[in-house]
Amino acid sequence: MNENEYLQQVATLAGLQHYPQQGPWGRKSGSAVGTRDGYMTAVGFSRNREGARVVILLRFKKIEQPELVKSAVKSAAIKKGKLGAVGNNFLRWEWKYSFTKPKPEEVAKLAEELRTAIKPVTMGFDGRCEQCASASTPSLTLMNGLPTFICAGCQENVRHELNQAAVNYEAITPNYPNGLVLGIGAAALGGLAWGLVAYAINYIFLYGAILIGYFVAGGVLKGTGKVTRLGQIIIPILTIASVLFGDAIFYTLIVMKHQHVPFSGKLLNAIVVHLVDIESKGSGVLSLLFGLVGAGYALYSARKPKFQAVFQPLGAPNA
Ligand SMILES: [Zn+2]
């Protein structure tokens, strides 16, 4: 049974409706969505590095203490799957599987069990907008894929607020000196750690470069206060410099060990001067490559934040 047929079945069994291409998980198979006793219920597939999961999302009226929801499902002692997350208006339950999908009947039953478990401590929606709690809002709207009860007026407000957030972000004056100082600091520390670890395990590894990339990007962005073109140029340069600096530390430690000489600035300097020579004989190309991958990750993590809300009616994926 493919994902589409599967979700179709789950929808039928759980009293929901299947919407291909729509819903929170951004997959072609979409999700089964509906409201039962006022509780928004969405079921879909989600895949990540850890494997495949069937996810059940329940949403309810905002509450003050999400802890209550957590303890309610805990004391219900539900056997299938496990708690993914709880927020002040949602519960996410995840059922991991490796080859065979869980039976649709069991997933439908699980959704009901979860709803029953949280009913004593939560309230379902009542046909009004969940933001302003006044405008009549009988049908669900997807906000960036998430099914919500939101009236036209509140949709407009959300759009307006996000636009304002984007304008405010643009208005931040980037502090480049700060960014450079923090970026160089991060690169120096990262390089030192890279060199020491490489020496300790006698091996240069890829994750180190990626970590350095993140570290440097974090430093530069904290300093400048926002993502800018110049920052995006500085980050990979500092990342590569940091990896090379780490290599210099690594080779310095090697020389110290084999020649039985103490650390000195002179020695480090000599290594740095001859780094190109040394690198071309050793694993320099590999280091540089790792550095570039690290820089790539760093740039990816340092994208501009998105200030956008897309509202879409259920059942109209191209609207
Ligand atoms: Zn509203």
Side-chain angles (χ1 to χ4, degrees):
M1 191 172 9
N2 68 30
E3 288 187 6
N4 267 297
E5 293 163 350
Y6 183 89
L7 289 176
Q8 181 65 55
Q9 275 207 25
V10 169
T12 309
L13 290 163
L16 310 171
Q17 206 173 336
H18 178 219
Y19 298 97
Q21 323 226 8
Q22 288 196 303
W25 297 287
R27 292 180 65 81
K28 268 198 193 132
S29 56
S31 48
V33 183
T35 315
R36 299 297 309 271
D37 302 337
Y39 288 81
M40 192 293 294
T41 310
V43 183
F45 288 96
S46 163
R47 262 169 231 275
N48 64 8
R49 253 173 292 167
E50 292 156 37
R53 289 163 300 169
V54 172
V55 186
I56 298 176
L57 180 70
L58 289 181
R59 294 194 59 247
F60 39 83
K61 268 195 191 171
K62 207 169 178 179
I63 54 168
E64 295 297 326
Q65 292 170 284
E67 291 305 314
L68 292 178
V69 176
K70 219 180 220 174
S71 45
V73 284
K74 214 172 253 172
S75 56
I78 292 164
K79 302 275 187 308
K80 306 289 162 66
K82 66 174 182 53
L83 183 64
V86 165
N88 61 5
N89 61 10
F90 76 92
L91 161 86
R92 194 178 73 237
W93 195 266
E94 305 181 341
W95 190 342
K96 255 197 232 173
Y97 66 90
S98 29
F99 293 108
T100 332
K101 300 181 187 81
K103 286 201 178 95
E105 294 80 11
E106 288 192 282
V107 171
K109 194 168 149 246
L110 176 58
E112 198 176 323
E113 280 174 357
L114 288 168
R115 199 172 63 241
T116 308
I118 64 170
K119 256 184 188 168
V121 292
T122 54
M123 273 164 71
F125 297 112
D126 51 13
R128 284 177 296 169
C129 168
E130 54 181 285
Q131 300 271 336
C132 61
S134 58
S136 161
T137 311
S139 56
L140 285 162
T141 301
L142 295 171
M143 182 169 78
N144 290 345
L146 184 72
T148 49
F149 288 103
I150 183 165
C151 71
C154 287
Q155 287 183 29
E156 202 41 58
N157 284 345
V158 169
R159 268 197 210 103
H160 181 79
E161 271 170 35
L162 288 175
N163 283 341
Q164 198 53 48
V167 168
N168 291 345
Y169 190 81
E170 287 308 318
I172 297 172
T173 314
N175 186 336
Y176 288 117
N178 240 348
L180 208 57
V181 167
L182 286 184
I184 289 173
L189 277 176
L192 192 62
W194 163 274
L196 289 174
V197 171
Y199 177 70
I201 62 179
N202 199 17
Y203 175 66
I204 288 170
F205 61 111
L206 177 60
Y207 278 117
I210 293 171
L211 282 176
I212 288 177
Y214 271 114
F215 200 47
V216 169
V220 171
L221 292 181
K222 197 170 160 53
T224 48
K226 70 188 285 194
V227 179
T228 61
R229 182 66 56 210
L230 187 59
Q232 286 171 330
I233 295 167
I234 294 171
I235 289 165
I237 292 174
L238 284 179
T239 301
I240 289 169
S242 176
V243 169
L244 292 176
F245 174 61
D247 277 1
I249 300 275
F250 172 70
Y251 289 120
T252 304
L253 290 168
I254 296 276
V255 170
M256 280 162 62
K257 187 183 172 195
H258 289 284
Q259 311 290 328
H260 303 285
V261 289
F263 177 82
S264 66
K266 216 170 153 189
L267 175 61
L268 181 61
N269 197 35
I271 298 276
V272 170
V273 169
H274 296 103
L275 195 60
V276 177
D277 264 4
I278 302 168
E279 293 278 33
S280 60
K281 289 186 194 94
S283 57
V285 180
L286 205 60
S287 291
L288 214 54
L289 203 69
F290 286 177
L292 282 171
V293 174
Y297 269 91
L299 278 181
Y300 181 73
S301 70
R303 284 160 303 167
K304 262 193 187 180
K306 256 193 194 154
F307 298 101
Q308 201 192 14
V310 177
F311 295 99
Q312 195 181 65
L314 269 169
N318 299 315

